[in-house]
Amino acid sequence: MTSGRKKMNIEEIVSKMTLEEKASLLSGKDFWQTENIDRLGVPSIFLSDGPSGLRKQAAAADRLGLNKSIPATCFPSSSTLANSWNESVTYEVGKALGEEASYEKVSVLLGPGANMKRNPRCGRNFEYYTEDPYLAGKMASGFVRGIQDENNGVSACVKHFAANNQEERRMVIDTILDERTLREIYLTAFEIVVREGKTKTIMSSYNKINGDFTNENQPLMDILRKEWGYEGVVVTDWGGSNDRVDGLRAGNELEMPTTAGETNEEVIQAVKDGRIEEKYLDDAVKRLLKLIDETTKAREDKENFSVEAHHKVAERAAEESVVLLKNDGVLPLDVKKKIAVIGNYAKNPRYQGAGSSIVNPTRIDSAFDLFPDAVEGYIGYEQGFDRYGKKSKKLASSAIKLASSADVIIMYIGLDEVSEAEGVDRPEIKLPQNQIDLIDELSKLSKPIVGVLSCGSVIEMPWVDKLSALVHSSLGGQAGAGATISVLTGKVNPSGKLSETYLYNYEDTPSFKHFPGKMKSVEYREGLFIGYRYFDTTGIAVRFPFGYGLSYTSFEYSDLEVTETGVSFNIKNTGKLDGKEIAQLYIGLKYSNVFRPKKELKGFTKVFVKAGETVKAEIPFDDKSFRYFDISTNKWEIETGDYDIYIGASVKDIRLEGKIHKDGVKNTPYDKKQLISYFTGRVDDVDDAEFTALIGRPIPSPEFDFYKKNRMKLGYNDTVGEIRYARGAFTRFLFHVLNGVYKLMKKTGKRSTANLIEMSVYNQPFRGLSRLTGGAINMPMLDGILVIVNGNFFKGLGIFLKENGKKNKANKLKQKAEKEKQSASAN
Ligand code: BGC
């Protein structure tokens, strides 16, 4: 990569490393950096969050987005970018983001997230692309290629590998699912981003899959390394390391953040005991050194990037991602008409999600600032409603007053930043009632209302009929406001389409009965049928289907040709404006021995067509087009059959149909009689017997291991929230105090503090007290805490204090030895 640079001699370095050095390299030096070994010329590297911008913390470090980071461009969230259906857009964003990382000497950018949106309530959906693995894989690949552009010298880090689809109890939850669902739905996006995006780093997730933590999960790591040929580094999610030695053995090179040497000792001991061969360490060290070497350019001094140019990249990306959901003709706006802007989000845009992805933007555009210049007939702004849902007659009546004198009302609505946050799932998917009430009131004026919606995940929209138009700007990043205004005024013809299904009611979700997992596990009883795969197969009506989005022009599809290598067809722009159309290729097989969704996305293209002109669109088939994962042969197969080819403007709006025959196998891996729900797609209420048949083994008990009613012995991987069931009365009392605070916070509107308690206390496993405190609490001290929790207060306290003393003494000795070493080398 870097021209003229001397490459590291990795073999030589490893041969000179001591066991201690090897162990130390594989665990963080601090919260964000790896160890350096100066005598061998091994520098430490910096890892920082993304994915919607760089979050490099110069001062106090945390993984929750609490402390500020250095200013960086805030790009649209992944959920927004996915609506562009344009890999070159994610590439451009990734490239600019990588440039910022490189300027800040960040070697690994922690993103993008390639997890599936299994359920609309997952608190982190805004950070993920879509409910479809193919689209997610493609979007993520563009993003990764951009970050890893050779001028940047930065590595992306695709996360969270894998099947990490709820925030509740995220660090301990066991995801129970069948092999085929794992492969086809939850791993395919990762597979694409490994093979096509060529990511150099992957972050394992916090959860377990079928009983094992992902970073210790040998079958999962074997898929990654042996099947997909991945040669990069796997890093734990922060604090996600459980048994360090098992993780290392499974192939997880880097543990983050630091445990102040505690796990290094475990690794060294394990080598000495023969529990792990030193060769494992050598291989892991080599892969890490390769990453360090390949990111050398990221650590060189560089000219500053152009803040203005990156703002423009963010704006262009947002423009491509805006989805026009409804339009009775009021849009594009007649700018000469009297236009009132209403809604808190016009002035304080909601442009990003909360948690580790939070960016400190270089600047923020708002509709309030941009409207007066962009729209001639602008007559003013009113806040209209309280952002956090409090009812206010005063705010509403001022808005109604302003709206009364307008010809068109533009209403900025959405979800506040506390509603969509890492670490907490959403309790519901509704727009706050005060906003719905205002829509009601305004609609009584019988004037056109144009909604502009800001949120990063699906919401119910029973109020949409009251609007004349609805523009979904999602979470558009720092330049999103300008992009939306360009769409409103027609400067930009909208070309985004939904990357997830907008359902009528949350209860329609196929995983409704199994989300989130509340105790030990979460069962993916809906199997393959997430998102449109379920709605399309069962015919259950939705508000806006997957792949849907309007334009100010219209397109006609014709002349489908299906060949062995792919499909081609014509798209004619039949309107008066130039525009872009996203055409989607879905494939299905009606007469199949294996159950399948009616159709699945297997390709797409976004084409620009001038008004009145026709463009020939082509979508090639690839290795994913016809494959399914066969559990009887344990590999990908193509089933013999006549496949249906659908070309759609959305999953529901199929414009062209064709057929192609494929020869392959005709296996019968399933007993149809046992799996009726899966063969019909009605998977919303799968019973125990059927799920047992699907996973091919008894369903592990999801219940806590109570030794008597509501009492359990707590261990490393029980969460702090479970102290409500602790044996020790004092501990249970503590829980009630904490819960009192939590409830009070919720009641008094301090939702972000309540969220914090939920994420970092309730959902924190005890293990995290040691894995995340950088050595302040070590495992023997944690043992003392657990003795307290489990009912022996004084004994536990004694252990805790004794171990704390031992730790402090050892630290002092270490510091002394280091000082002596330093002064010896200075002399
Ligand atoms: C998140 C990761 C993030 C890491 C570092 C974790 O809590 O799950 O996505 O990259 O923290 O901030």
Side-chain angles (χ1 to χ4, degrees):
M1 34 164 311
T2 316
S3 54
R5 180 177 67 82
K6 201 166 158 272
K7 275 176 84 76
M8 262 183 180
N9 187 338
I10 293 176
E11 292 296 332
E12 190 184 322
I13 295 175
V14 177
S15 72
K16 289 181 179 160
M17 279 171 97
T18 62
L19 179 58
E20 285 70 17
E21 282 170 337
K22 288 176 195 168
S24 76
L25 197 66
L26 300 174
S27 183
K29 169 163 97 173
D30 55 27
F31 207 79
W32 297 119
Q33 299 184 84
T34 60
E35 270 303 344
N36 46 306
I37 306 174
D38 295 341
R39 75 174 187 98
L40 296 171
V42 179
S44 75
I45 61 172
F46 209 104
L47 301 90
S48 277
D49 268 307
S52 48
L54 177 68
R55 185 174 76 98
K56 182 176 183 191
Q57 290 183 316
D62 69 87
R63 73 188 213 291
L64 312 174
L66 300 177
N67 297 313
K68 272 218 162 168
S69 47
I70 50 148
T73 311
C74 181
F75 298 98
S77 69
S78 303
S79 61
T80 312
L81 291 175
N83 293 342
S84 76
W85 293 63
N86 191 342
E87 254 184 279
S88 59
V89 166
T90 53
Y91 174 82
E92 285 305 324
V93 169
K95 189 170 168 219
L97 172 50
E99 195 186 334
E100 296 189 22
S102 189
Y103 175 70
E104 291 295 343
K105 299 197 161 73
V106 167
S107 299
V108 180
L109 196 284
L110 304 174
N115 297 95
M116 288 297 100
K117 301 190 191 189
R118 171 178 180 247
N119 184 293
R121 277 179 48 208
C122 171
R124 252 182 135 169
N125 275 358
F126 70 88
E127 246 185 277
Y128 302 140
Y129 290 105
T130 152
E131 63 192 27
D132 181 81
Y134 191 86
L135 181 59
K138 294 288 174 180
M139 292 294 105
S141 293
F143 196 77
V144 167
R145 281 198 298 268
I147 291 175
Q148 296 188 169
D149 183 280
E150 62 173 343
N151 289 322
N152 296 332
V154 171
S155 164
C157 176
V158 179
K159 60 192 187 183
H160 310 90
F161 186 65
N164 174 200
N165 310 97
Q166 69 174 59
E167 292 302 280
E168 177 135 357
R169 301 177 51 75
R170 63 177 177 160
M171 294 180 82
V172 289
I173 198 79
D174 190 3
T175 299
I176 307 296
L177 80 177
D178 64 293
E179 182 73 17
R180 179 164 169 224
T181 300
L182 175 68
R183 301 282 194 141
E184 292 188 17
I185 302 295
Y186 296 98
L187 294 187
T188 294
F190 288 97
E191 179 185 355
I192 295 174
V193 78
V194 165
R195 291 190 201 265
E196 296 177 23
K198 308 235 176 298
T199 186
K200 293 178 177 170
T201 312
I202 283 187
M203 184 190 290
S204 52
S205 53
Y206 283 136
N207 53 295
K208 296 177 183 174
I209 295 182
N210 292 330
D212 287 325
F213 281 103
T214 59
N215 71 87
E216 296 166 12
N217 198 310
Q218 198 65 62
L220 184 71
M221 291 296 157
D222 283 350
I223 293 173
L224 174 67
R225 302 224 186 250
K226 295 189 181 149
E227 286 186 30
W228 304 345
Y230 179 67
E231 287 175 355
V233 164
V234 180
V235 56
T236 62
D237 198 346
W238 265 234
S241 166
N242 171 53
D243 184 315
R244 181 62 192 127
V245 177
D246 282 351
L248 203 51
R249 207 164 31 191
N252 203 299
E253 287 84 9
L254 182 60
E255 171 197 62
M256 288 300 286
T258 181
T259 59
E262 186 171 31
T263 45
N264 300 354
E265 288 307 318
E266 289 169 18
V267 171
I268 293 165
Q269 203 48 52
V271 173
K272 288 183 179 156
D273 295 348
R275 196 177 144 207
I276 183 169
E277 285 174 46
E278 194 164 348
K279 188 185 154 312
Y280 274 95
L281 263 66
D282 289 353
D283 291 345
V285 167
K286 283 180 198 165
R287 288 192 291 264
L288 189 63
L289 287 175
K290 184 164 165 264
L291 176 72
I292 295 174
D293 189 39
E294 286 181 354
T295 54
T296 301
K297 194 159 190 177
R299 296 182 294 280
E300 290 167 357
D301 289 338
K302 265 160 237 101
E303 298 233 327
N304 205 345
F305 61 89
S306 160
V307 171
E308 193 44 42
H310 284 194
H311 188 77
K312 280 274 164 241
V313 172
E315 185 169 355
R316 275 201 305 276
E319 284 172 2
E320 281 259 349
S321 310
V322 171
V323 187
L324 180 62
L325 288 176
K326 183 176 177 182
N327 186 17
D328 69 359
V330 63
L331 294 180
L333 287 173
D334 176 347
V335 289
K336 295 220 166 69
K337 284 198 170 159
K338 284 192 274 171
I339 293 171
V341 172
I342 286 167
N344 175 279
Y345 296 97
K347 196 161 185 181
N348 297 307
R350 168 80 205 296
Y351 60 96
Q352 67 171 333
S356 65
S357 67
I358 207 159
V359 176
N360 177 12
T362 55
R363 76 178 224 220
I364 307 169
D365 291 344
S366 76
F368 176 78
D369 291 334
L370 299 175
F371 240 90
D373 285 340
V375 177
E376 218 181 300
Y378 172 70
I379 60 164
Y381 158 83
E382 278 297 337
Q383 181 180 336
F385 53 84
D386 171 74
R387 188 180 185 91
Y388 301 106
K390 249 201 229 146
K391 299 219 161 164
S392 163
K393 278 203 174 126
K394 201 168 149 237
L395 289 177
S397 60
S398 312
I400 293 164
K401 199 167 153 219
L402 174 69
S404 310
S405 52
D407 298 323
V408 180
I409 304 160
I410 312 285
M411 192 172 170
Y412 279 79
I413 52 179
L415 297 181
D416 65 59
E417 49 288 344
V418 187
S419 311
E420 293 176 280
E422 176 179 339
V424 216
D425 296 314
R426 295 192 292 159
E428 57 173 29
I429 63 164
K430 298 186 192 318
L431 194 68
Q433 192 57 42
N434 63 344
Q435 296 184 44
I436 300 178
D437 292 345
L438 187 59
I439 295 176
D440 263 352
E441 288 300 315
L442 290 172
S443 69
K444 290 183 191 149
L445 300 174
S446 301
K447 301 185 176 203
I449 306 175
V450 177
V452 176
L453 179 64
S454 302
C455 58
S457 24
V458 169
I459 56 171
E460 293 166 358
M461 298 184 183
W463 35 264
V464 78
D465 296 340
K466 303 207 164 100
L467 305 180
S468 296
L470 180 59
V471 172
H472 195 354
S473 63
S474 202
L475 300 178
Q478 66 179 50
T484 308
I485 291 178
S486 296
V487 166
L488 289 172
T489 56
K491 207 172 131 196
V492 166
N493 190 355
S495 67
K497 292 198 178 185
L498 291 179
S499 50
E500 53 188 320
T501 309
Y502 274 61
L503 32 65
Y504 276 108
N505 301 302
Y506 173 63
E507 290 72 13
D508 297 338
T509 313
S511 54
F512 172 70
K513 296 201 172 104
H514 294 276
F515 181 92
K518 287 261 175 210
M519 290 204 249
K520 287 201 301 204
S521 58
V522 52
E523 292 157 10
Y524 286 20
R525 293 202 183 199
E526 72 287 354
L528 306 172
F529 297 88
I530 67 165
Y532 73 84
R533 284 172 164 74
Y534 170 71
F535 296 109
D536 187 53
T537 307
T538 56
I540 291 171
V542 299
R543 174 85 58 190
F544 295 115
F546 176 80
Y548 168 86
L550 300 172
S551 161
Y552 293 148
T553 188
S554 47
F555 299 97
E556 214 174 76
Y557 292 53
S558 66
D559 303 310
L560 173 66
E561 264 188 68
V562 183
T563 67
E564 277 305 307
T565 55
V567 296
S568 66
F569 48 97
N570 287 336
I571 300 182
K572 182 172 183 198
N573 182 338
T574 50
K576 292 196 178 66
L577 288 172
D578 298 349
K580 288 181 188 166
E581 171 68 339
I582 298 163
Q584 301 145 42
L585 162 69
Y586 295 91
I587 298 182
L589 179 64
K590 275 192 204 91
Y591 306 103
S592 168
N593 279 350
V594 292
F595 57 81
R596 296 169 183 261
K598 189 171 159 202
K599 51 175 131 43
E600 296 180 277
L601 185 78
K602 298 293 179 176
F604 57 91
T605 181
K606 190 168 189 175
V607 290
F608 173 72
V609 195
K610 281 190 170 280
E613 292 190 1
T614 300
V615 161
K616 185 171 178 179
E618 288 177 64
I619 307 176
F621 295 137
D622 60 23
D623 63 317
K624 320 263 170 339
S625 303
F626 301 99
R627 72 179 194 178
Y628 75 98
F629 192 81
D630 192 312
I631 52 156
S632 63
T633 58
N634 203 30
K635 59 183 173 63
W636 295 99
E637 304 280 11
I638 291 177
E639 186 177 7
T640 301
D642 293 322
Y643 287 80
D644 296 303
I645 303 292
Y646 305 93
I647 306 297
S650 80
V651 71
K652 270 210 95 169
D653 184 7
I654 298 304
R655 303 289 183 88
L656 302 168
E657 285 188 44
K659 283 237 181 262
I660 189 168
H661 179 83
K662 285 278 149 194
D663 282 319
V665 298
K666 208 68 199 169
N667 297 346
T668 44
Y670 300 110
D671 177 350
K672 269 193 193 177
K673 287 194 290 309
Q674 280 189 335
L675 297 168
I676 296 289
S677 307
Y678 299 101
F679 275 91
T680 57
R682 296 286 332 204
V683 291
D684 52 311
D685 197 16
V686 171
D687 65 17
D688 287 357
E690 203 171 346
F691 189 54
T692 305
L694 180 75
I695 60 175
R697 64 193 168 103
I699 307 169
S701 165
E703 309 275 321
F704 290 141
D705 301 316
F706 293 123
Y707 63 83
K708 70 173 195 195
K709 193 165 184 278
N710 285 345
R711 288 287 175 276
M712 60 195 265
K713 186 167 183 265
L714 299 178
Y716 296 145
N717 285 322
D718 292 305
T719 63
V720 176
E722 284 155 43
I723 59 174
R724 79 191 77 181
Y725 306 123
R727 193 178 257 171
F730 172 73
T731 317
R732 288 199 308 273
F733 169 72
L734 265 187
F735 173 78
H736 291 297
V737 173
L738 184 68
N739 210 30
V741 176
Y742 172 71
K743 284 187 176 151
L744 186 75
M745 292 297 147
K746 274 198 139 171
K747 217 171 152 187
T748 54
K750 302 216 168 50
R751 282 157 57 222
S752 53
T753 316
N755 280 356
L756 205 65
I757 297 179
E758 206 173 317
M759 164 163 74
S760 20
V761 184
Y762 285 177
N763 287 331
Q764 183 72 245
F766 281 97
R767 154 176 57 92
L769 299 182
S770 130
R771 293 293 191 243
L772 278 164
T773 52
I777 299 177
N778 62 19
M779 290 304 264
M781 286 161 76
L782 180 59
D783 288 337
I785 294 177
L786 284 171
V787 171
I788 296 177
V789 168
N790 288 321
N792 210 330
F793 183 85
F794 292 105
K795 186 174 170 206
L797 187 66
I799 298 176
F800 182 85
L801 294 175
K802 192 172 129 209
E803 292 299 336
N804 189 30
K806 270 208 242 166
K807 182 196 72 180
N808 291 340
K809 202 169 153 196
N811 282 348
K812 271 191 197 139
L813 286 175
K814 212 165 134 191
Q815 277 163 11
K816 200 173 151 211
E818 258 159 38
K819 259 194 200 153
E820 281 168 9
K821 208 168 129 194
Q822 271 167 17
S823 61
S825 61
N827 294 331

